[in-house]
Amino acid sequence: MAIRLNVNGIAHDVDVEPDAPLLWVIRDELNLTGTKFGCGVAACGACTVHVNGKAMRSCSVPVGAVANAQITTIEGLGGNGGLSPIQQAWIEHQVPQCGYCQSGMIMAVSAFLAANPAPTEDQLSASITNICRCGTLPRIRAALAALTETKTKVKGGAS
């Protein structure tokens, strides 16, 4: 069955069953491998993508449920091949250790900050539900603090 997906601003017609997980369609049909498989039950967040601007764990989303939605993967986050401010902060604060979970973490943080441009420290802490087994949470918090300080200084909350 052909399903139309809009991924990173490009329309794709994929011939898959509507109950196929979005994660596998992104990886296997569209060859966008930045979105990772972690647990398969939406617990770890390694597979996080944006669907209409909202962070979703793609391992548990049936592709038929997001037909015609605007889907963004880590490959499309920065736009025009550049880095988003969040990706740049991750580099500046040397966040990744192994890096496996980081595309999902960046996607989750990106959606959170888009909805909450000037969060409190408690809101930031509560928003980190993705799992990083390397223990880089202190560096993640440092990158988030730098991002939110920048956002609150910029007129309108945008960076």
Side-chain angles (χ1 to χ4, degrees):
M1 171 179 201
I3 295 174
R4 171 137 311 184
L5 296 177
N6 186 320
V7 179
N8 300 331
I10 300 169
H12 301 271
D13 290 315
V14 292
D15 188 20
V16 297
E17 293 298 320
D19 62 347
L22 176 60
L23 169 64
W24 298 117
V25 175
I26 289 170
R27 290 183 59 82
D28 295 344
E29 300 295 322
L30 304 182
N31 297 312
L32 297 172
T33 58
T35 305
K36 305 297 185 196
F37 173 79
C39 65
V41 295
C44 74
C47 66
T48 303
V49 298
H50 296 173
V51 177
N52 294 329
K54 182 181 176 189
M56 297 187 84
R57 295 183 176 181
S58 63
C59 70
S60 64
V61 174
V63 72
V66 295
N68 298 309
Q70 299 296 314
I71 300 165
T72 305
T73 68
I74 191 72
E75 291 90 349
L77 188 61
N80 299 325
L83 296 176
S84 75
I86 296 165
Q87 290 168 310
Q88 188 61 47
W90 251 236
I91 292 168
E92 290 170 5
H93 292 275
Q94 300 178 356
V95 171
Q97 183 173 335
C98 83
Y100 192 83
C101 68
Q102 293 306 308
S103 61
M105 185 80 71
I106 289 169
M107 296 303 289
V109 166
S110 173
F112 173 75
L113 290 178
N116 304 285
T120 66
E121 187 174 329
D122 288 343
Q123 289 171 320
L124 279 173
S125 292
S127 75
I128 301 172
T129 61
N130 291 45
I131 297 171
C132 174
R133 293 178 187 240
C134 297
T136 64
L137 194 55
R139 291 184 288 200
I140 291 168
R141 288 182 191 274
L144 289 173
L147 282 165
T148 56
E149 288 171 15
T150 300
K151 286 182 168 289
T152 56
K153 292 178 185 175
V154 176
K155 186 175 182 172
S159 57

